[in-house]
Amino acid sequence: MDGAQRKPPCQGAEMKTKALSPLHALQLRAFLNAAEDIDVDPDTIEDLLEGLSDDVRSEVTEFESDVEDSDTEELSVPVHEQRSPHALNGNEDLEDGDIDPSEIRALEEEAKQAWAKDEIKKMMHHLKERGMSSFMREYVVVQNIPVVKLLFAFGISLCPELRNKRSKTLLYFLRVAISRELHLREKLPQYNTISDAVSLIANSKRIVILTGAGISVSCGIPDFRSRNGLYATLKERGEYDLDDPQQMFDIHYFKENPTVFYSFASQIYPSNFIPSPCHRFIKLLEDKDKLLRNYTQNIDTLETLAGISRVLQCHGSFKTATCLQCRTKVPGIAIERQILEQRVPYCKACLEAHRATEARKGKPTKKKGKRKNEWEEDSDENDDLPVGVMKPDITFFGEKLTDDYDQALLADREKVDLLLVIGTSLKVSPVSETLSHLPHSVPQILINKTPIRHINPDIVLLGNADDIVQHLCERLQWDLPPPSGMNGGLDVPAPRGINGKRGSSDMIGRREPVRVGESHAWLFDGAEGGKWVQDIKEKYGDRSSANGTTSHLEHQREPGAKKARIS
């Protein structure tokens, strides 16, 4: 939950205060920490803190999140996995003597007696295959099992103080436990190779594809989180007084200073861009009636330009724009000129209403230095007028996604037979949570420049996404649709050989993908695996040459793969 949305605890209210036991304090901190990722209302937070003095409240809420403060992907797991209630039986984050060992043993014994192993296995299977809503309906509503007992199945033994909380608060505890369990997906061991990936794509009929900025980089649109991405560039330039470059997309910051957003919006505006091979690959899957839905986090509308119809733009797009004041909605083209000229667009409907009001009052609608009855409605000089700012209908931080996302995901989870994750770091909630809401038995393939450490896909293909999908198409003996005619009729020569196949010149200098040891990870050109790849090598073994040296081309190749021609 966004901290800005929380209401502060009742300050100054008279209440009976009490001291916290070590176990109570530890579990309380963990559940408050989990609120960074799990939606929780202010009343539940207040119930958690009920009966505590102001000093104690301050102490338990002053926890640090290494996830928020770190720029490394090693710490990009959800906050509640860093310090989760799963560890609250005294095994982690504790110093000797903090908690009475006998208390821990009693809680562990109680949890052991609550459920048989086969019962827990059945419950976890239901959860991972049918999702949180189905689990809650079956075990909380139909079977009416107390939440405290259900938590035992997740390895969580609540301290006595937390067991007496309101039903709504107890359900929050259960959602925290469920969310953590859903993130702990086990890799499907039967899928490991590029041949497996090709076979999955060829045989699947209802593929869900989750995409991010990485599929549009080759089109000339910068991504956000890479070393050379938009956020890094903004931070390096230091042109704006920002605590975090992501403030550029913060709705509160936008309302205070829209000039900052419009100073760089032209860099990501979908003007004169051509869909990439990744976009065309998704279109090809749709043409072959294999695409269930493309969930895109991108706002560039290149999916639509590529002709993809089964697409959900989770974070909105530039296709339309809305006035922040009167809520008038207009086509995005109406503010295109201002975006490209890096000027703030103002609402013409507000302007006309203002003119009408001033006319009724008998006042001239003019400004100093302007001709009578003439306004430059697009000028930044309108800041002192009751005229609203137009905002593209993209979802900023601090805004809720539309219900379309939840409804689509609920429908798709019952149908999906393969998940492809392409060109995204999966760091923005709630889209980043999509994988945890799909059945764990559905195969997952990651196609990305860098690994994603907080998910566990079955096959990992690292490198330039465009090269990877083109390689897959060659293995599938599919021809990518050419980019000709996609940009409003603009005829762009296809960058490949006859019928969209790779020409001989494309082979020069391009290396075949290589396997990391005996693992499920494969490296293509452009791969940035870093420490993750080294860890995979150690875990699965590294196929090296006889003299102990290892080169990019000395790893295992797929059977039948051609050796790269190096210029």
Side-chain angles (χ1 to χ4, degrees):
M1 170 187 163
D2 184 0
Q5 296 176 337
R6 296 183 194 166
K7 295 179 182 178
C10 300
Q11 296 179 354
E14 294 184 3
M15 60 178 68
K16 183 179 180 181
T17 61
K18 53 188 177 185
L20 271 71
S21 69
L23 181 59
H24 183 194
L26 184 61
Q27 291 191 341
L28 183 57
R29 287 192 183 97
F31 282 119
L32 289 171
N33 199 4
E36 298 294 330
D37 292 293
I38 309 299
D39 288 336
V40 57
D41 61 80
D43 290 339
T44 297
I45 295 296
E46 179 59 31
D47 187 40
L48 279 171
L49 299 176
E50 188 273 330
L52 306 181
S53 67
D54 289 343
D55 289 344
V56 175
R57 287 180 179 226
S58 298
E59 181 180 348
V60 297
T61 55
E62 287 178 356
F63 53 84
E64 295 182 358
S65 171
D66 291 337
V67 175
E68 294 178 341
D69 296 336
S70 173
D71 292 330
T72 64
E73 286 194 331
E74 286 88 342
L75 298 176
S76 58
V77 298
V79 177
H80 61 273
E81 289 187 41
Q82 294 294 318
R83 180 183 293 174
S84 72
H86 221 312
L88 296 188
N89 288 339
N91 297 323
E92 296 183 17
D93 295 328
L94 295 175
E95 296 179 0
D96 292 341
D98 280 344
I99 298 178
D100 186 352
S102 63
E103 182 180 6
I104 299 301
R105 286 194 296 271
L107 291 174
E108 290 176 342
E109 184 61 29
E110 184 181 18
K112 186 184 300 183
Q113 296 298 324
W115 300 101
K117 289 184 178 180
D118 59 337
E119 290 178 314
I120 295 177
K121 183 178 180 180
K122 180 180 178 180
M123 293 167 67
M124 295 303 110
H125 178 78
H126 183 120
L127 173 63
K128 293 179 179 181
E129 291 305 305
R130 302 181 63 181
M132 180 185 296
S133 298
S134 176
F135 182 91
M136 298 283 265
R137 183 168 55 252
E138 173 63 25
Y139 292 100
V140 177
V141 179
V142 177
Q143 297 191 31
N144 196 28
I145 300 173
V147 171
V148 172
K149 183 178 180 180
L150 285 174
L151 288 172
F152 289 144
F154 293 88
I156 299 176
S157 300
L158 289 179
C159 64
E161 295 89 342
L162 293 182
R163 296 187 188 192
N164 295 322
K165 293 300 180 181
R166 296 181 308 176
S167 297
K168 194 173 184 179
T169 304
L170 291 174
L171 287 174
Y172 165 66
F173 296 160
L174 183 58
R175 286 193 293 116
V176 171
I178 288 175
S179 178
R180 181 186 185 279
E181 191 67 31
L182 287 174
H183 279 90
L184 302 178
R185 177 184 183 270
E186 295 182 5
K187 179 191 175 308
L188 302 178
Q190 64 269 39
Y191 305 118
N192 296 283
T193 68
I194 297 177
S195 293
D196 292 333
V198 169
S199 178
L200 283 169
I201 295 171
N203 296 322
S204 297
K205 300 295 184 182
R206 300 177 299 277
I207 303 174
V208 165
I209 304 180
L210 187 58
T211 54
I215 72 169
S216 296
V217 171
S218 63
C219 306
I221 301 175
D223 67 359
F224 292 89
R225 290 178 173 79
S226 71
R227 288 181 294 181
N228 300 316
L230 183 60
Y231 292 151
T233 301
L234 290 172
K235 188 174 183 179
E236 182 179 351
R237 290 178 180 174
E239 297 176 2
Y240 309 104
D241 185 19
L242 301 173
D243 296 328
D244 186 332
Q246 291 185 104
Q247 280 185 296
M248 287 287 195
F249 289 95
D250 182 271
I251 186 59
H252 305 294
Y253 188 83
F254 178 86
K255 290 178 178 179
E256 293 175 0
N257 190 3
T259 304
V260 175
F261 172 79
Y262 283 110
S263 68
F264 75 91
S266 60
Q267 299 180 41
I268 57 175
Y269 185 74
S271 175
N272 298 321
F273 292 117
I274 307 299
S276 69
C278 285
H279 294 105
R280 291 149 49 202
F281 174 67
I282 299 170
K283 171 60 176 171
L284 179 60
L285 289 174
E286 184 176 53
D287 290 343
K288 292 181 176 292
D289 201 25
K290 290 178 171 291
L291 179 67
L292 180 59
R293 200 182 315 269
N294 175 200
Y295 291 81
T296 179
Q297 301 171 87
N298 297 340
I299 58 178
D300 52 38
T301 67
L302 287 178
E303 295 83 10
T304 302
L305 200 60
I308 303 168
S309 60
R310 299 174 195 167
V311 59
L312 179 63
Q313 293 161 328
C314 302
H315 295 162
S317 72
F318 283 96
K319 186 176 181 180
T320 57
T322 302
C323 173
L324 292 179
Q325 183 164 299
C326 73
R327 309 309 299 173
T328 294
K329 187 182 291 288
V330 301
I333 194 70
I335 65 170
E336 181 179 67
R337 178 167 60 89
Q338 291 90 333
I339 291 176
L340 297 179
E341 294 176 356
Q342 300 183 13
R343 296 190 293 116
V344 177
Y346 289 91
C347 177
K348 294 184 178 181
C350 283
L351 178 62
E352 293 301 322
H354 173 73
R355 284 174 171 169
T357 300
E358 293 300 301
R360 286 194 297 269
K361 293 179 180 179
K363 296 180 179 180
T365 55
K366 68 177 183 178
K367 270 195 172 186
K368 183 178 180 181
K370 296 189 182 292
R371 296 192 301 273
K372 185 175 182 178
N373 295 328
E374 178 176 295
W375 292 91
E376 292 184 4
E377 62 268 23
D378 299 327
S379 171
D380 292 347
E381 295 178 4
N382 280 336
D383 289 346
D384 60 342
L385 293 176
V387 176
V389 171
M390 299 302 297
K391 172 189 165 293
D393 289 332
I394 59 180
T395 306
F396 278 51
F397 294 114
E399 291 185 303
K400 290 185 177 181
L401 269 64
T402 65
D403 292 336
D404 294 344
Y405 169 77
D406 291 330
Q407 293 171 0
L409 190 59
L410 186 62
D412 291 348
R413 66 161 287 113
E414 303 298 331
K415 304 174 183 177
V416 57
D417 58 6
L418 176 63
L419 174 68
L420 302 181
V421 179
I422 310 178
T424 173
S425 59
L426 288 179
K427 289 186 177 179
V428 179
S429 179
V431 178
S432 60
E433 302 296 309
T434 301
L435 275 67
S436 65
H437 293 291
L438 298 179
H440 287 203
S441 59
V442 173
Q444 299 180 4
I445 301 174
L446 171 66
I447 299 174
N448 203 40
K449 183 177 285 290
T450 59
I452 305 177
R453 291 169 171 82
H454 59 282
I455 66 173
N456 193 20
D458 304 305
I459 301 173
V460 178
L461 308 179
L462 299 183
N464 298 322
D466 288 344
D467 292 340
I468 295 173
V469 299
Q470 290 182 93
H471 180 88
L472 293 174
C473 283
E474 290 172 1
R475 295 286 297 273
L476 287 159
Q477 297 185 334
W478 291 354
D479 294 337
L480 275 181
S484 302
M486 284 187 173
N487 195 19
L490 182 64
D491 188 16
V492 180
R496 298 171 61 79
I498 299 174
N499 296 325
K501 295 182 179 180
R502 181 184 296 178
S504 60
S505 60
D506 295 318
M507 290 292 294
I508 298 177
R510 179 169 298 189
R511 297 176 292 193
E512 289 295 329
V514 294
R515 190 175 187 176
V516 180
E518 297 287 345
S519 76
H520 58 299
W522 295 78
L523 305 181
F524 289 71
D525 281 342
E528 297 178 3
K531 186 177 183 299
W532 185 87
V533 169
Q534 295 301 321
D535 292 341
I536 290 294
K537 285 181 181 179
E538 294 177 5
K539 181 177 181 180
Y540 291 94
D542 188 12
R543 298 173 66 93
S544 303
S545 60
N547 60 8
T549 61
T550 304
S551 72
H552 189 83
L553 294 176
E554 288 171 339
H555 289 274
Q556 178 183 350
R557 293 186 182 87
E558 279 278 277
K562 296 179 180 179
K563 186 175 181 179
R565 293 169 56 185
I566 307 299
S567 57

